Amino acid sequence: MRGLTDRLLAGALAAAAVLLPRGGRARWREEALAVLLDAPPPLRYRYAVDTLVKLPVLAWQQRLAARPADPPLSWPVSACAGAGLLAVPVVMVAALALTPVLGEETAEFLFLVSPCGMLPAVAASCFHRARRRGGGARHHLLAALVALFAGTGPMAAGALGVGIGAAGAGDQLAGTVALVAGLAPGGWLLHHGVGALLRGHGPTALGALGAAAGTGLLGVPVGLHLGMAAPGLGWLSLLVSVLALLVLVPSFVGWSVWAGVRLLAGRSEPLTR
């Protein structure tokens, strides 16, 4: 009976080992089997389940460690991306602080265009990823579209919605398309911040700021669209918009300044991995 149990454990470990990189499968299988066979029989199956449950995490960590390091961005590209990010809080804070001087319309316009400072950083990240995936027209076209919509804030999304409305597709469809496209900046920044946290790229606080700023960038257009789509829920629209702005302004300013300074210093690894 013991021999049958040992063979079952060895077979289960051999089947599960395919999740690991090829070079480390045999060693992991031997070491894991030795640990399980050395455990007392009442605990052996519990240890086996624990080993198999944790295996996907181990495989993910080993594949990340085995990835070759990506070359950093060239200094002109990194400096351009950093300067663009540093311009974001300057324009954003100026729009909020100088509203009585500039007027509401001008201040609102400046606030809307302030995320356009992300364009060089988003473009550098997207095209670097496209090259890492083998390049080609399809990858570079996708990178250009993501950079256009994620790097320009609501500007490209608004222009797309106006174009669809002018083509006679209807205001509701145009508004929906503009909303979906307007989620790109927040979606990219949230993905970037969470990815940096999970992979340990850059300071943890910087990744958390990026994730919070992305959440705020997602909340602002959602709140605005909610107020237009359901006027009876104006209170909810106002609540979502206010909370999103309270999260967005400090986190976006902090992330832009910190990431911009790092890029100016040539620390471009969060954008290239």
Side-chain angles (χ1 to χ4, degrees):
M1 185 67 180
R2 181 180 177 85
L4 176 62
T5 301
D6 294 350
R7 287 195 295 272
L8 288 175
L9 286 175
L13 292 176
V18 299
L19 296 176
L20 295 170
R22 187 179 301 274
R25 293 175 186 174
R27 180 177 178 181
W28 174 84
R29 186 172 62 247
E30 293 173 0
E31 292 180 351
L33 182 60
V35 171
L36 293 179
L37 294 181
D38 190 53
L43 298 177
R44 186 170 299 161
Y45 296 107
R46 185 185 302 177
Y47 287 176
V49 172
D50 181 73
T51 299
L52 295 176
V53 168
K54 294 177 179 177
L55 182 60
V57 178
L58 176 63
W60 173 64
Q61 291 176 336
Q62 289 188 1
R63 292 185 187 280
L64 283 181
R67 282 177 53 183
D70 293 315
L73 297 176
S74 63
W75 188 84
V77 174
S78 180
C80 182
L85 290 182
L86 289 177
V88 171
V90 174
V91 177
M92 182 179 289
V93 172
L96 294 175
L98 301 178
T99 300
V101 178
L102 299 174
E104 290 188 4
E105 293 185 357
T106 303
E108 182 180 354
F109 173 77
L110 290 176
F111 188 84
L112 289 175
V113 301
S114 62
C116 290
M118 292 173 56
L119 180 58
V122 177
S125 177
C126 291
F127 282 102
H128 186 90
R129 179 170 297 183
R131 289 193 298 271
R132 191 176 65 196
R133 293 181 175 179
R138 181 171 62 90
H139 287 117
H140 282 94
L141 178 60
L142 180 61
L145 289 174
V146 173
L148 175 63
F149 287 99
T152 60
M155 302 306 295
L160 179 62
V162 170
I164 292 176
D171 293 340
Q172 185 173 2
L173 177 60
T176 302
V177 171
L179 170 66
V180 174
L183 298 177
W188 180 86
L189 190 49
L190 179 61
H191 177 269
H192 177 76
V194 172
L197 288 174
L198 292 178
R199 294 174 176 83
H201 296 163
T204 301
L206 181 60
L209 280 175
T215 302
L217 275 174
L218 288 173
V220 171
V222 169
L224 293 175
H225 186 76
L226 182 62
M228 294 185 293
L233 296 177
W235 63 272
L236 181 59
S237 169
L238 180 62
L239 178 62
V240 172
S241 298
V242 170
L243 290 177
L245 282 173
L246 289 176
V247 172
L248 171 63
V249 174
S251 60
F252 200 10
V253 169
W255 177 82
S256 299
V257 172
W258 195 349
V261 170
R262 285 175 61 85
L263 286 169
L264 285 175
R267 304 289 298 276
S268 61
E269 71 278 0
L271 294 181
T272 57
R273 298 190 67 179

